[in-house]
Amino acid sequence: MLRPRLLRAALPLSAYLALAVGLFANAWRAPFATIVGYPGDAFQSITA
Amino acid sequence: MNPLLSTYVNHPHGANLMWNTAIPLVGVVLTPLTLTVGPVFAYNLVMTLALAVSAWTAYLAIHRYVTTAPAAWLGGLVYGFSPYMMAQSLGHPHLTIAFVPPLILLALDSLVIRQNRPALFIGIAAGALAALQLWIGEELLASSGLVAILGLFILMELNPDRVRAQSRYALRALAIASATFTVLAAFPLAVQFFGPQPLLRSLQPHNLYATDVLGFFVPTDMQQVAPEPAVGISRHFTGNLSEWNGYLSLPLIGLLVFTAIRFWPLKVVRFAASLGLLIAGLSLGFTLRFAGSLTAVASVVVALPLPAFRRVLPARTMVLALMVVPIALITVPVIDNLLPSRLMLYADLMAGFLLATFAQSALHWPAVRARGVAVCAIGLTAIALIPRLPYPSSSAATPSFFTSSSVRQIPEGAVVLVAPFARIGSGDAMLWQAMAGDRFQMPEGGVIADGNPYPADPPPSTSLNVLRGIETGTLPALTLTEPLRQSLLNDLNRWHVRMVIVGPMAHQELVLALYSSVLGATPSWQGGVYTWTLPDG
């Protein structure tokens, strides 16, 4: 009873997680040396 | 030792982390991972999980009302992968770890509407969730509280006949929630308001970070479908790219309007549409801005048409909120640090409820053609909201000095001056410090602290001025006079600096020449950086 409920709850989370990893694929290609976004940098630089 | 105070940046003054965006609970939970695989991996994991888990809790909240799981999933997607999330993911984890607000909504739903569990249980759960959000990030707690109050008033105006019957249970549970929160939040709040460096001044410029009137319709650089003429407009919006959070897109706005009109009899639609509309209005800030031009027109003018709809909309609450909240956001201490543009997170959650309601209903429409149109509309919305791909990332390259045994030359906890001098907009030194396992303290850092001028520069010093000037090119031909040399030496002495490190940076050769003259010695080259070791004391 509990397992199907857990599975039903975990399935949407897995789908979101797959999307998030795909979205940040640039960072995940080298996750120890590349970082998501521009933390610590001037955000405006992205528009330059 | 207080974990919410640190002198590892901004040494020796340090910083009160409760006035910063330190996400302390997330940091503690991830400590084993950070220590084993490093802070960059841990950061990437946080940013990724932030989107997925936030979308998931939104799904859970929406699924309570929208029973068709795929429809609720779409609603969660609108929240967890919203333009707000995409823009803030550029560097604000304290704003994208947003899985608690949908859970607070669920708790409030149980507390105010359903009331089918013991008040003690619901009260403790609501209070614990609020405390959990405080330990993750206080800003979202404050904005969640604001939105919760607005939501309660909207609910009362929409259902006046139920207020008396529901209020006794709700007040009891709220009292329990308040007590629970007080117990769990007493320590961090005491550190924040009664500890060192309480910052009761406003830390953000007023009326700058707010949604442009065109911001709901015009995509920014963070959307994949962003025609050049459109981004030509959005690039002029006030604030910056990470704060342009208002985009909903024309297809989604069309769907929301259709859903609100078509399904108005549904209470969840009335509530979500009213609250979403109100939040969008509040995100406009104190005065309106149009295509990047700040006008003198108070944003409360958007409330003018509302009384005409008072038979269907909770107009009294909405008008009052649009009159009072924008003023509070620029005048009430502490609250005046809330940025109006960031309120769009909650409008996105309400949009998720409405989109899910539409999708659930459309799936059951008998006419195939109508279902086809609905699917096309949802598809168009999805296309309009696709984030910029590939999503921006940046190099976290770290000189091997900081990640090898070389760093052990620095006595544990000693003070090190690192160039480029860390401040907001230049975080390399802070990254290297983290990669070195926080081996050393620094007199620099991009932190908000008492005495630091906005935007969170380290305290004024000759070293800051000179190193920043050289790095940014505003001091291309610096002459080292004796007073300047003495001033730079004084900085090193009063900070008790044991090592000066110059890493890869713009105009590195000028910094090397400067400190060679100041210290009267040539630096050692090791592990990708130049170092000078200074005598103790």
Side-chain angles (χ1 to χ4, degrees), chain B residues 66-71 262 356-368 370-371 374:
Chain B
V66 178
T67 52
T68 307
R262 171 82 187 253
T357 304
F358 171 82
Q360 173 172 262
S361 169
L363 281 173
H364 297 102
W365 283 346
V368 175
R371 278 207 303 273

Side-chain angles (χ1 to χ4, degrees), chain B residues 336-369:
Chain B
D336 62 1
N337 289 308
L338 282 180
L339 305 187
S341 61
R342 296 177 179 176
L343 293 174
M344 281 305 289
L345 171 71
Y346 307 94
D348 293 333
L349 182 58
M350 295 303 111
F353 269 94
L354 294 174
L355 181 72
T357 304
F358 171 82
Q360 173 172 262
S361 169
L363 281 173
H364 297 102
W365 283 346
V368 175
R369 193 170 164 184

